[in-house]
Each structure stands twice: as C-alpha cells, then as structure tokens.
Amino acid sequence: MAYLGPRLGVSRIFLPHVTVFRALCTVRMDEMGLAVGRSSLERLDFDNVALKKLPLDPSDEPGVRLVKGACFSRVIPEPLNNPRFVAVSGEALALLGLDGEEVMNDPLAPEYLSGSKVMPGSEPAAHCYCGHQFGQFAGQLGDGAACYLGEVKVPPGQNPELLRENPSGRWEIQVKGAGLTPYSRKADGRKVLRSSIREFLCSEAMFFLGIPTTRAGSVVTSDSKVIRDIYYSGNPRYEKCSVVLRIAPTFLRFGSFEIFKPADEFTGRQGPSYGREEIRGQMLDYVIEMFYPEIQRDHPDRVERNVAFFREVMSRTARLVAQWQCVGFCHGVLNTDNMSVLGLTLDYGPYGFMDRFDPDFVCNASDNSGRYSYKAQPAICRWNLVKLAEALAPELPPDRAKAVIDEYLDQFNRFYLENMRKKLGLLRKEEPEDEILITELLRTMHDTGADFTNTFRNLAQISCPSEGETERDEEIVRKAAELLLEQCASLEELKSANTPTMDPRELSMLLSMAQSNPALFEMISDRATIARQLDRMSKLKVLLETSQDELRARQAQEWTSWIALYRKRLARELEGQSDVQAVQEERASVMDGANPRVVLRNYIAQNAIEAAESGDFSEVRRVLKVLGKPFSSQPGLELPAWVGSHRRTEQGERDEGEEPQPGTSSSSSSSSTAMNPVPYDSKPPAWARQICVT
C-alpha cells in the first residue's frame, strides 16, 4: 500500500477502602456546598463499577507520589474561580440523559462540570498507568490532569446502536484540567482555554466523521489563571484555567496494563505495581467482562478468551488507524498511554488534519524525528500492540500474541482499501489494480501539493464515461483537471514546504559524522531525519529553477494522466449496468458521504481559540455546529460569524467577565482572522502555515 511505513469468569475482590472513600466523598461534597434538587446533574445515576472491581489506592497522602498496587487514587478536584461555559455538546450530553440547552442554562452546571462542585454519587479519582513515550518506557504516568468523576448509568431509551458500542451500560465521565493528582509529576493539573477548545471540538468532530472516539460534553473556562510558556521560548504568560468534560465507556488504555512491567532494559524504569500479577488478571477480567461480554460468553477457556480479546483490540486498532489515514488525521502523540483498549481515538493534544497532502506530515512540533508522522501511524499502532501484548503476558501467551499481531497488516490494508474505494466511488467491483490507482492518486497529490480534504471531495464531480462521448472525453478530462488544479499548491507554497528545517552547516556535520563515527551519529540523530532533509533540498533546488507557469503545466499534466486512469476504472463500474444515471447518482452519494466537506483544520480551531480568548465564545459554538454535519453544505454557516457583521455575537455568547487584552478589540476579530476570513471548506489561508502545535 502507498505510504504504509509501515470478552470469563468474574474475579471479584473485596476492597475495604471503597466504603471509606464514599464516606469521605460525602463529607467533601457537603464542604463544597452541595445543593440538593437544583440541577439535573444532581439526578445522574452513578454506578462506579471500576472503583468496586479494581484496586483503589488506600493513601490520602497529598501531592505527587509513586502509587503501588492500585489502579486508581482518590483525589479532590480543585475549584475554579467563577467557572462558566464556553460551549456544550448537546449530542454528547444526551448520552448521560441530559438536555444540552438545560445544562447550558443551569447556573450550577459549570461548577459541577469543572469539578468545582462534586455531584451526588460521584467519586473523584485519578487512574494510574504507565507508557512508552516516543519509544522509551517512561514508568508511572497516570492521570496528571484528568479526574474520573464516576460512571453514569445509561438512561432509558438510549440508541441501541450506542449500546452495541458500549455494552457496559454505563458512561465514564472525566473532567480534564481539574487540578493536581498523584500523577501530575512536575505539572499543575490544569489545562488552558486553547488546549481545552481543541480537545472539545476535535472529540466531537471525529464522532460526526464516524470515527470511534471519546466524547466531549462541555468546555468550561474561569477567572483562575496559570502561567504557560506556549512555545517554550522563555516568554510565559498567564492563561485562563479551563476544563473539558470527557465521556467514554472507559478511559483504560494500553498503558493501564504496563504498571506491572519489570525494569526496562533501556531506561531502567519499572511499573509501580511490578510483581502484582493478581491485579493484571483482575484488570483483564474487568475489561473483558464489562466491555467485551460476547468474548467472555463464548470463550470459557481463559487463554482462548484472552487471545480473542487481544485479537479484537488488534482489529479495532487497525480499523481506527485506517479511518484516520482516510481523512488525513494525524494524532501527534501515539504513545502506548494514548491508545484505548476499546479502539477509540483518545487524548487530543497536538493533533492535526492535513491540509496539503504530505505522507511525512508531522502535526506535533515537538516530534523532531517524525516518529508519529502521518505515514508512520499504521506501523506505530502495530508497535504499540506489541507492547500491549508484552504487558499482558503471561495471561496472553507470547506465541499466541505474535500470531495475532501477524494479522494486523492484512487487517489494516483491508479496512484502508474498503474506505478508499468508497472515497473513490468504486462500489461494484474490487480489482487488484485499485491499489495502484490509489497509490498513483496519492503520489499525484503529493507531487502537486494538493489539498487532501478538498481533492477527495471534488472527485465526485468527475463523471463516469458513457457511450458515445469519445469526442467529448478530452474536454471532460481537461475540466476535471482544472477543478483539481484549484486545490494544488502554488510555487511559493511548495518552496516553503520544501525548505530544509536544518541548518546546512549542521546537516553537513551530521553527514560527515555518519561516515566517520556512526555510533555517535546514532546517539544524536537518525538516518531517516537526514534523508528527509536531503529530499527537501533536492526538491527545493528543482523548484528554484521552475516558474509558476511551468509548475502549473506540470501539475496539469500529472492530473490529466491520473484522471484518464481513474475514468477507465469508472467505466468498469458501468459494465452490465442498464441504468447509468442511477449508478452515477449512487456513486456521488456514497462519495459525498465518505469525503467530508469540512474537517477541523488548525486554522479553524485557531480562529475559535483567538475569539474565545478575547471573550467571544460564539465562534466555538458555530464551529461545533459546522462540524456536526461535516459531509453537508449548511447554508448560513459557510463563513465565521463575524465576517460581514463586525463580529456581532448572540446574547449569552460573550464572556461578560472578560476584559479586552492589550492590542485586541472586543468588537473585532484577531489579526489573523480579520485580514483573511475564508470559508470553513476552503484551503487554509497563508497565515495558517505559521500555526505551531506542541
């Protein structure tokens, strides 16, 4: 393939601390001014099974510490000063049986959904896990900013399809950014507005794209502030503490099982619960019983059950990453602690949707080696599955795990091709040549700097050839090429994209070192990084000797060649079909349902963040509406709200407590948006290339 760098018997253990914890929580809720009967959130039906079935840390010791022999630690969320909603997702809150509008108008809701007040039945806790970060075992990590509030029983009448995806009958809810936990390390357990908006919007965007994901019910901001150095440049500034409500069947992850790891041969670190084998079995029993009941039911033999569980996790992971690749999504930090045991997209940090197609696209500015690049994601997910298998041994025999992992690539390719055929409208036949057609499409997109999302969206406008149109064929291909050329990069864009990021003197030194002292070279760099820099230099040299007209002619020729190949394949879709028009209409419908019109590009998120930071929450809410129907045109929602309206906002969408920041106006857009407002389905404006996400 192109660019492919690649549910048992219940083990119930008595936990004496659960009852004590509930009593403590009751005291704390009273201390924090719990109001009875005033909010729909106080009527949520909690059933916190994870804290009943998994070991709970008995210590009340405050501060960061090593937590041994436990999966959760009790915590007390830290209240925010004047918490208030930025936005809520009615669709996500409906999972809990809540009405979004009612929650939005509930004066107590921002307090409850930021952890500033504790809801009746809630038992705040933080989860202990470990992880391999950028390939190295990091030891204990855990919920450094996230706080488990509990598990809410599924309300009556919930969509059966949702229950199929969540057979546990409960939704775990978390608040992210609610303060210190035993796992906060050197951090403060807080999150700020920009990161919270990004997680909130992308969680919901992925759901509406049809990609498995954790959900986000709300984002709350406040007058509490923390200091952050955004670009690690020595220029810190105060930012508002903000909190996201996250919802999922469970937030357990690959790294949850790595707390039992013996000392790592490279880093020397070990899991905090090394030697506690009984807890691994307990956790495995819990996960399979709760979230994979059909596997529990169908496999009375423990080993066979565990193998079936691992195979299902492998399959879900392969399907998930195939879906990512097909919408141009890059996660950014695919560490083992960011991989869900349910195959959900988990932990939205420095993610990014590709604009110009580049298989080497790296969305995380901190990923200097490109370990988590777009093209590397399928292979990295396989690597993470290997680490999960190691963490499950001996419950999962290594030889059986290897046999399952050997199925991964075929599973990924099958899911990937299935999705890609829909994106290209190849619905009636599956031909070996389809892989070549897809590979050539991606190569052409890369060579011409084509926009990933818009190029795929426009393919539906290329018609299938019909009888008697030979004389018009050339004109049809020419018009199709012109359509796609609109999505291609200009000469200046390609020059910028191919400018080496490494100083020529540094590159020269490293090339020399690779020859003279390979061992030292491997310590400070790697051959893949050097190869990428050399490739950029080579492409830049050609571009410097090319005019814009020459570039456009070359791009036109490349697209003309591919379109001709594509239409030949489309012709075979019509073989034996009597109603050509019906075939065309079905094809266009399927393609429009597989190729989104809008994704959460960085510039769209940045517009919303900058507006919110100036006290205007309307753009966050507007973007949420747009992302709720990513495959459809939405009249009246083509452009940001302020375009042509001098940034008017609806009542309740302005943060009344916000004072304008120096250099900004409360009635005008930030500099980036005011100068170049573009439609949500547009290629990004030039300033978007300067956005840096770490």
Side-chain angles (χ1 to χ4, degrees):
M1 279 305 302
Y3 306 119
L4 176 61
R7 302 184 188 215
L8 78 89
V10 179
S11 176
R12 183 150 189 172
I13 295 180
F14 176 63
L15 300 174
H17 305 291
V18 171
T19 303
V20 176
F21 181 45
R22 284 176 175 162
L24 285 168
C25 275
T26 302
V27 172
R28 287 165 187 152
M29 285 188 285
D30 291 342
E31 289 173 349
M32 298 173 77
L34 176 65
V36 179
R38 291 185 291 166
S39 169
S40 60
L41 292 163
E42 295 165 5
R43 299 191 294 272
L44 290 178
D45 189 4
F46 282 92
D47 183 16
N48 307 321
V49 176
L51 301 188
K52 299 172 187 175
K53 295 202 171 187
L54 298 176
L56 187 63
D57 176 18
S59 175
D60 284 325
E61 180 187 347
V64 175
R65 64 183 186 273
L66 191 68
V67 176
K68 300 181 179 182
C71 297
F72 289 91
S73 299
R74 63 191 116 206
V75 298
I76 304 175
E78 299 176 36
L80 292 172
N81 183 19
N82 190 24
R84 52 200 178 272
F85 281 125
V86 174
V88 303
S89 169
E91 290 84 351
L93 291 176
L95 297 173
L96 310 178
L98 296 170
D99 177 86
E101 186 174 350
E102 181 182 349
V103 170
M104 192 74 175
N105 295 320
D106 181 350
L108 287 175
E111 297 186 75
Y112 283 135
L113 298 186
S114 65
S116 300
K117 285 183 182 292
V118 179
M119 291 173 279
S122 171
E123 299 181 72
H127 176 42
C128 181
Y129 54 81
C130 293
H132 282 78
Q133 299 193 319
F134 286 87
Q136 302 296 316
F137 185 64
Q140 178 178 293
L141 298 171
D143 287 335
C147 174
Y148 163 104
L149 293 182
E151 298 154 65
V152 177
K153 288 183 179 179
V154 168
Q158 187 140 104
N159 188 329
E161 185 65 20
L162 290 174
L163 295 181
R164 187 181 68 81
E165 298 297 329
N166 178 18
S168 72
R170 286 170 301 280
W171 293 102
E172 179 181 331
I173 59 173
Q174 288 187 347
V175 282
K176 186 174 181 178
L180 287 169
T181 78
Y183 314 106
S184 295
R185 290 171 283 171
K186 296 180 181 180
D188 54 26
R190 291 301 194 187
K191 294 298 177 182
V192 296
L193 193 54
R194 53 190 164 83
S195 61
S196 299
I197 288 173
R198 282 177 55 85
E199 172 143 15
F200 172 75
L201 288 176
C202 200
S203 299
E204 294 305 278
M206 294 292 271
F207 172 76
F208 290 113
L209 285 169
I211 297 173
T213 179
T214 59
R215 303 293 300 277
S218 64
V219 56
V220 171
T221 193
S222 71
D223 291 340
S224 303
K225 294 185 178 181
V226 288
I227 195 164
R228 293 288 187 266
D229 186 348
I230 304 175
Y231 302 116
Y232 309 104
S233 61
N235 298 298
R237 67 179 175 94
Y238 282 99
E239 298 189 62
K240 291 188 173 183
C241 296
S242 303
V243 175
V244 174
L245 176 74
R246 308 203 299 181
I247 307 169
T250 182
F251 286 87
L252 294 182
R253 52 202 71 207
F254 289 13
S256 301
F257 289 95
E258 292 189 294
I259 63 173
F260 315 105
K261 181 178 170 59
D264 185 78
E265 61 177 316
F266 298 109
T267 67
R269 301 186 182 100
Q270 71 177 33
S273 293
Y274 169 62
R276 299 294 303 272
E277 305 299 319
E278 78 282 4
I279 301 178
R280 178 196 287 114
Q282 193 176 344
M283 190 186 302
L284 194 54
D285 288 351
Y286 169 75
V287 170
I288 298 174
E289 175 191 344
M290 290 293 104
F291 308 108
Y292 296 92
E294 73 285 357
I295 290 177
Q296 166 80 12
R297 182 189 65 240
D298 296 343
H299 297 85
D301 179 84
R302 187 174 184 86
V303 169
E304 295 305 318
R305 181 204 70 172
N306 294 347
V307 171
F309 161 70
F310 185 63
R311 176 174 283 109
E312 181 63 19
V313 173
M314 178 276 295
S315 181
R316 292 189 185 196
T317 301
R319 181 188 295 274
L320 178 67
V321 69
Q323 290 176 285
W324 290 349
Q325 301 302 96
C326 288
V327 295
F329 175 79
C330 200
H331 183 282
V333 199
L334 278 177
N335 301 325
T336 56
D337 53 292
N338 292 333
M339 298 284 294
S340 165
V341 295
L342 301 185
L344 308 175
T345 312
L346 176 69
D347 287 353
Y348 291 91
Y351 65 83
F353 285 87
M354 267 195 299
D355 295 319
R356 174 183 52 81
F357 177 68
D358 180 2
D360 290 318
F361 172 65
V362 176
C363 59
N364 180 2
S366 305
D367 185 5
N368 297 317
S369 69
R371 175 181 176 85
Y372 298 140
S373 68
Y374 169 81
K375 76 176 181 183
Q377 290 185 134
I380 286 295
C381 286
R382 182 190 181 280
W383 191 91
N384 289 340
L385 283 163
V386 171
K387 294 305 169 186
L388 174 61
E390 292 174 0
L392 292 175
E395 288 275 3
L396 177 68
D399 59 326
R400 300 294 300 277
K402 182 181 183 303
V404 171
I405 290 169
D406 287 345
E407 301 171 15
Y408 172 83
L409 186 58
D410 285 342
Q411 287 264 30
F412 168 78
N413 280 331
R414 180 167 63 83
F415 293 137
Y416 181 79
L417 277 171
E418 178 183 298
N419 286 334
M420 276 293 185
R421 285 190 172 103
K422 290 179 182 178
K423 291 175 75 69
L424 270 67
L426 308 179
L427 311 179
R428 284 170 166 70
K429 298 175 183 291
E430 294 184 5
E431 300 190 356
E433 294 81 2
D434 292 348
E435 292 191 42
I436 298 174
L437 181 68
I438 295 165
T439 299
E440 284 301 302
L441 170 60
L442 297 178
R443 183 194 60 76
T444 303
M445 290 172 64
H446 187 207
D447 289 349
T448 63
D451 185 87
F452 185 90
T453 300
N454 291 355
T455 297
F456 274 105
R457 183 71 177 184
N458 283 333
L459 293 182
Q461 298 186 47
I462 301 176
S463 63
C464 297
S466 57
E467 291 184 32
E469 72 166 25
T470 306
E471 65 280 1
R472 296 178 50 241
D473 192 66
E474 187 175 326
E475 177 67 12
I476 292 171
V477 171
R478 184 186 64 79
K479 287 185 176 180
E482 288 179 354
L483 181 70
L484 297 179
L485 281 170
E486 294 177 7
Q487 302 304 326
C488 294
S490 68
L491 182 60
E492 292 307 311
E493 287 174 321
L494 289 176
K495 285 180 181 178
S496 175
N498 287 286
T499 299
T501 56
M502 189 179 290
D503 186 282
R505 292 167 296 181
E506 180 184 2
L507 181 58
S508 178
M509 178 201 69
L510 289 172
L511 286 169
S512 176
M513 186 185 297
Q515 297 295 323
S516 62
N517 194 336
L520 180 59
F521 170 80
E522 293 295 339
M523 290 175 63
I524 63 177
S525 188
D526 61 87
R527 297 186 182 277
T529 298
I530 300 302
R532 284 196 298 271
Q533 295 297 316
L534 292 173
D535 183 56
R536 284 187 170 205
M537 289 180 65
S538 176
K539 289 179 177 178
L540 181 60
K541 182 177 184 297
V542 173
L543 290 168
L544 289 171
E545 299 170 353
T546 303
S547 70
Q548 177 64 49
D549 288 342
E550 289 172 332
L551 174 66
R552 189 47 53 110
R554 190 168 71 223
Q555 291 172 332
Q557 181 56 51
E558 290 195 58
W559 277 115
T560 297
S561 298
W562 184 81
I563 292 167
L565 190 66
Y566 180 42
R567 296 188 80 233
K568 285 183 180 179
R569 174 61 180 85
L570 290 178
R572 294 198 289 277
E573 289 287 296
L574 299 178
E575 292 175 357
Q577 302 297 319
S578 58
D579 192 340
V580 173
Q581 182 65 25
V583 173
Q584 295 267 33
E585 290 175 357
E586 180 190 10
R587 169 178 165 266
S589 176
V590 170
M591 292 178 73
D592 283 347
N595 296 311
R597 185 183 67 87
V598 177
V599 293
L600 184 59
R601 299 177 189 258
N602 273 340
Y603 84 90
I604 296 176
Q606 188 63 23
N607 281 345
I609 290 166
E610 291 184 6
E613 287 182 331
S614 70
D616 179 1
F617 302 149
S618 65
E619 184 61 13
V620 177
R621 300 171 189 180
R622 186 178 182 88
V623 169
L624 181 62
K625 288 181 183 178
V626 172
L627 297 173
K629 296 182 179 180
F631 301 100
S632 306
S633 176
Q634 299 185 66
L637 290 175
E638 297 89 351
L639 288 162
W642 64 83
V643 176
S645 63
H646 303 288
R647 202 57 186 274
R648 291 193 302 268
T649 59
E650 296 178 20
Q651 183 178 5
E653 292 187 346
R654 167 156 296 285
D655 188 354
E656 299 297 340
E658 177 67 28
E659 296 181 4
Q661 299 296 313
T664 68
S665 165
S666 62
S667 62
S668 64
S669 158
S670 62
S671 58
S672 63
T673 58
M675 293 176 64
N676 291 299
V678 296
Y680 295 118
D681 61 354
S682 169
K683 289 174 59 180
W687 61 263
R689 295 199 294 272
Q690 306 305 315
I691 297 173
C692 176
V693 186
T694 62

